[in-house]
Amino acid sequence: MLSLNAWGIRTFEKRKALFQWLNKDKADIIFLQETYSTPDVENTWKSQWKGDLYFAHGSEHSRGVLILIKERLNFELKSCTHDNEGRFTILKANVQEQPFILVNIYAPNKTSEQSIFFQEIQTVLDSLNIEAECDIIIGGDFNVILNPELDGLGGKPKLKDSVKII
């Protein structure tokens, strides 16, 4: 698995370079954030990636998350849930015949919006009727520092109130 904030992959050159690099990487499941995808590019991007793509579109200049699944992976999608803001995609799937929930998020920057966002993710997960033996993998860009000693460098990193919800 790999998670990466792409900072926009609308240009052909950047997307081509990223997809080539990802195809060489050993990760079979890739979470991308800030793709800047919109519905009009979906078919083009699907033709450029060997495997499955699961979008939550943002705008041409912000947000957007994408889960890429390599073609070689034994992957069976059960359900796909995403928001209309380009902030999360949640897949319920069998990977190598084992049940998984894959959650790719791009959280808002503002603390007040983050708290609401993380509560929404919890509500969506609660609604999925997750089996006891199912593993949940959550990745992406949380836009928070979870541990100032490990995640903060320089300045005065502090824990936001939204971390309590995570």
Side-chain angles (χ1 to χ4, degrees):
M1 292 203 66
L2 175 77
S3 181
L4 177 70
N5 184 316
W7 292 321
I9 55 172
R10 286 191 70 84
T11 65
F12 173 76
E13 294 80 12
K14 185 173 181 181
R15 190 174 53 259
K16 179 181 177 184
L18 179 62
F19 282 6
Q20 285 178 343
W21 179 74
L22 292 171
N23 272 317
K24 291 178 185 175
D25 189 74
K26 294 183 180 176
D28 291 319
I29 299 171
I30 299 111
F31 291 173
L32 297 178
Q33 306 83 44
E34 282 197 273
T35 59
Y36 304 169
S37 70
T38 53
D40 61 302
V41 301
E42 194 168 317
N43 288 333
T44 301
W45 293 16
K46 284 181 178 180
S47 72
Q48 296 168 341
W49 177 256
K50 293 179 180 151
D52 297 319
L53 293 89
Y54 301 96
F55 293 87
H57 297 295
S59 75
E60 292 181 8
H61 305 290
S62 66
R63 298 181 313 274
V65 294
L66 176 61
I67 299 177
L68 299 126
I69 307 294
K70 284 200 178 161
E71 191 174 45
R72 68 180 180 224
L73 185 66
N74 179 359
F75 183 86
E76 178 189 0
L77 180 69
K78 298 293 185 181
S79 68
C80 178
T81 305
H82 60 84
D83 70 333
N84 294 323
E85 301 295 317
R87 294 277 181 199
F88 71 83
T89 298
I90 301 173
L91 304 182
K92 191 174 185 181
N94 286 337
V95 179
Q96 306 295 83
E97 300 182 14
Q98 299 298 313
F100 281 89
I101 302 292
L102 305 173
V103 183
N104 184 15
I105 67 169
Y106 177 56
N109 290 319
K110 295 178 184 173
T111 303
S112 59
E113 294 175 15
Q114 287 174 348
S115 297
I116 294 166
F117 173 77
F118 291 126
Q119 289 170 337
E120 180 184 0
I121 294 293
Q122 183 64 54
T123 300
V124 173
L125 289 172
D126 288 343
S127 73
L128 291 179
N129 298 319
I130 300 170
E131 304 156 20
E133 67 276 0
C134 186
D135 289 318
I136 300 173
I137 299 173
I138 301 175
D141 187 341
F142 289 65
N143 273 317
V144 297
I145 293 174
L146 297 174
N147 182 330
E149 292 178 16
L150 296 175
D151 302 329
L153 180 62
K156 296 180 182 176
K158 65 174 190 165
L159 291 178
K160 295 181 178 181
D161 290 337
S162 56
V163 171
K164 296 173 188 171
I165 297 170
I166 295 173

